[in-house]
Amino acid sequence: GAGVSQSPRYKVAKRGQDVALRCDPISGHVSLFWYQQALGQGPEFLTYFQNEAQLDKSGLPSDRFFAERPEGSVSTLKIQRTQQEDSAVYLCASSLGFQGTTGANVLTFGAGSRLTVL
Amino acid sequence: DAKTTQPTSMDCAEGRAANLPCNHSTISGNEYVYWYRQIHSQGPQYIIHGLKNNETNEMASLIITEDRKSSTLILPHATLRDTAVYYCIVRVKPQDYGGATNKLIFGTGTLLAVQP
């Protein structure tokens, strides 16, 4: 598609429920990122994929957070046993990747999925 | 990655130039300066980047000081639609990642309010 697509745009979950957030990156983009953005804050890095390989998950706040990108395209961020502090906007971004580029690596972001945990 | 410092907020009159400053005094020689902005309820949007020369595109101009310790993003004729949070980020050149994650690290940015 023309841009990064995320679904659902809004999700309300009861505390303790599991949620899954989907990201469709731009076709052909090698790199995929997940960010978490709390109200009034800048986006915080969660995890990074290069194709299907998860190369960096240093930003995942706990083992309740899990991300996958099994075929190197669509990615899913799963949050198990949601807590109120998980309420945030979850942003997905993709890029062509750095290999072979001579310029900067520009990330294209989706509109985000807003998660509210009650 | 070098840390950046930006004012929390700024106002600008519609039609006037908006000049957004950023300090990055610990920037290394192989780090680019990036600017992104985030309009309410949207994801961040790339604006411009530069290494050491001034840059201009259809959205903005980027002025980097000779010592590279600071930069200014210029929106030449601000409109109400330019009201957003503007993030200044420094990041290692792609060729120098050496396999490390090429993630962007955001601060809290500058909230630019364009007034009618």
Side-chain angles (χ1 to χ4, degrees):
Chain A
V4 177
S5 178
Q6 293 188 246
S7 60
R9 285 281 280 126
Y10 303 93
K11 175 69 178 179
V12 178
K14 292 183 179 179
R15 189 164 60 93
Q17 281 185 331
D18 298 348
V19 300
L21 307 176
R22 176 187 168 105
C23 173
D24 280 90
I26 293 173
S27 178
H29 276 196
V30 169
S31 298
L32 186 143
F33 304 80
W34 284 98
Y35 284 81
Q36 179 189 58
Q37 187 170 26
L39 191 64
Q41 302 296 314
E44 296 274 352
F45 170 79
L46 292 178
T47 189
Y48 161 66
F49 289 86
Q50 185 174 321
N51 295 305
E52 69 279 2
Q54 188 175 18
L55 299 186
D56 188 339
K57 51 184 181 180
S58 62
L60 296 177
S62 77
D63 58 8
R64 296 186 296 103
F65 286 72
F66 172 77
E68 60 183 4
R69 193 186 185 197
E71 297 180 357
S73 178
V74 171
S75 177
T76 303
L77 177 66
K78 298 179 179 178
I79 308 173
Q80 297 177 323
R81 304 181 303 280
T82 53
Q83 304 293 316
Q84 285 188 324
E85 62 263 29
D86 300 334
S87 296
V89 175
Y90 291 86
L91 294 161
C92 176
S94 69
S95 73
L96 284 169
F98 62 87
Q99 292 180 352
T101 62
T102 56
N105 185 16
V106 174
L107 271 61
T108 301
F109 284 81
S113 293
R114 179 178 296 277
L115 172 64
T116 302
V117 182
L118 302 177
Chain B
D1 293 325
K3 184 177 179 180
T4 62
T5 304
Q6 299 178 253
T8 302
S9 63
M10 294 181 63
D11 288 345
C12 177
E14 189 177 18
R16 303 297 294 268
N19 298 282
L20 293 95
C22 179
N23 285 321
H24 31 79
S25 58
T26 59
I27 193 169
S28 300
N30 65 344
E31 289 182 309
Y32 277 96
V33 179
Y34 290 73
W35 283 84
Y36 281 73
R37 74 178 182 183
Q38 187 171 24
I39 295 170
H40 184 61
S41 295
Q42 297 183 22
Q45 174 193 25
Y46 166 80
I47 301 173
I48 199 167
H49 73 275
L51 186 61
K52 54 184 178 182
N53 298 320
N54 297 337
E55 303 288 344
T56 296
N57 63 20
E58 65 279 3
M59 290 183 69
S61 295
L62 174 60
I63 308 298
I64 302 174
T65 58
E66 191 169 346
D67 63 6
R68 302 187 67 242
K69 293 183 184 298
S70 66
S71 60
T72 301
L73 179 74
I74 301 172
L75 307 179
H77 305 287
T79 71
L80 298 179
R81 288 175 294 179
D82 292 322
T83 291
V85 177
Y86 287 77
Y87 296 99
C88 171
I89 302 163
V90 293
R91 192 66 181 90
V92 173
K93 287 193 297 186
Q95 306 92 297
D96 295 345
Y97 290 144
T101 306
N102 56 336
K103 62 181 180 257
L104 296 175
I105 299 175
F106 291 82
T108 52
T110 297
L111 174 59
L112 175 68
V114 180
Q115 309 291 343

